[in-house]
Amino acid sequence: MKKVLSFDLEGTLVTLEFGEIIWNHAIPLEFSKKYGISFDEAKRLVISEYQSVGEERIEWYDLEYWLKRFDLKIKPLELLDKYEKHIRLFDGVKEALEMLKERFTLIISSNATRLFIEKELRFSGIEHFFAKIFSATSDFQLTKKSILFYKKVLEVLSLSPEEMVHVGDHRLFDYEIPKSLGIDAYLVEEERTVKEIVSAL
């Protein structure tokens, strides 16, 4: 009996646009203003710094860390607020969640930090659908949604793998890894949206 339906967030329920704007436009723009250099030069320097840290370190995902590293005075939430209009739901998401909440307890299982998750859920108006939020980076200090991540989610919820379904857009982290644990998983792709997956659940 499936009890819990878990969703990835970025690339699954909301588009990737907001995250890309923050990391590749907003931070370089603040950097260029702070140090009096062109946006293109600022972006080159900022991305070079990102790469020097790399995705395997938890700092990579931490907005506050980067603002401090670049000595930018703007607060993390203030920066997110400036660009919130770029938070967009995929078509049909609200309708799908309305249908699914009658049959499942809905949760978020994301690699994004809680700062991003909470902002995106709140602004898009879908926060109330979810009973619990899990962030690999903020809650478990994991840089990826690994086997350990899903085991921790199951443990917190006191679930067996067979009692959970996960939906996401990354073949390895949202599909192959949860499947390897016995979690029923569905992959969102360009031709297979959340709305279309609902009929299979």
Side-chain angles (χ1 to χ4, degrees):
M1 178 68 180
K2 305 300 183 185
K3 295 181 179 178
V4 170
L5 178 52
S6 164
F7 282 100
D8 174 52
L9 181 58
E10 297 171 348
T12 300
L13 301 178
V14 302
T15 70
L16 296 172
E17 181 183 348
F18 182 61
E20 290 172 356
I21 286 281
I22 295 297
W23 296 111
N24 298 324
H25 177 81
I27 293 177
L29 184 60
E30 294 296 325
F31 191 98
S32 73
K33 290 190 287 188
K34 163 85 176 180
Y35 297 104
I37 60 176
S38 72
F39 173 79
D40 288 344
E41 178 65 5
K43 186 174 180 179
R44 186 187 67 77
L45 291 170
V46 165
I47 289 175
S48 176
E49 289 296 303
Y50 293 162
Q51 291 169 343
S52 75
V53 168
E55 294 180 44
E56 299 309 312
R57 283 174 55 189
I58 202 74
E59 292 89 349
W60 168 278
Y61 306 91
D62 186 347
L63 181 58
E64 187 169 9
Y65 166 82
W66 289 108
L67 296 180
K68 285 180 179 176
R69 179 166 173 145
F70 297 142
D71 195 28
L72 303 176
K73 301 308 179 188
I74 191 167
K75 300 283 189 235
L77 193 54
E78 184 185 350
L79 188 66
L80 298 190
D81 287 347
K82 283 180 70 172
Y83 294 90
E84 65 184 13
K85 67 181 181 181
H86 294 280
I87 298 171
R88 293 193 176 93
L89 289 172
F90 285 111
D91 291 343
V93 163
K94 277 190 179 177
E95 295 86 344
L97 295 176
E98 281 287 355
M99 292 172 60
L100 294 167
K101 74 175 184 179
E102 305 301 326
R103 297 168 51 205
F104 301 95
T105 296
L106 305 182
I107 67 169
I108 293 290
S109 300
S110 174
N111 200 54
T113 62
R114 277 188 166 268
L115 182 74
F116 274 85
I117 295 170
E118 290 169 1
K119 176 64 182 175
E120 290 173 303
L121 290 180
R122 194 163 52 247
F123 184 80
S124 62
I126 60 171
E127 184 180 32
H128 65 285
F129 287 110
F130 299 98
K132 203 154 186 65
I133 293 168
F134 292 97
S135 162
T137 46
S138 297
D139 297 335
F140 306 126
Q141 288 68 58
L142 298 170
T143 59
K144 294 286 183 288
K145 286 190 289 190
S146 59
I147 286 176
L148 180 58
F149 169 76
Y150 288 102
K151 283 183 175 179
K152 284 179 176 290
V153 170
L154 292 170
E155 181 182 348
V156 170
L157 298 175
S158 299
L159 292 175
S160 67
E162 295 74 26
E163 293 175 307
M164 188 166 111
V165 182
H166 180 71
V167 177
D169 69 311
H170 193 288
R171 179 163 290 278
L172 176 59
F173 301 124
D174 291 311
Y175 184 74
E176 292 176 8
I177 287 176
K179 275 276 196 187
S180 74
L181 279 172
I183 296 169
D184 200 7
Y186 293 86
L187 191 63
V188 173
E189 298 170 298
E190 283 186 22
E191 68 279 5
R192 196 177 193 211
T193 65
V194 167
K195 192 176 179 181
E196 290 165 332
I197 285 173
V198 169
S199 61
L201 295 173

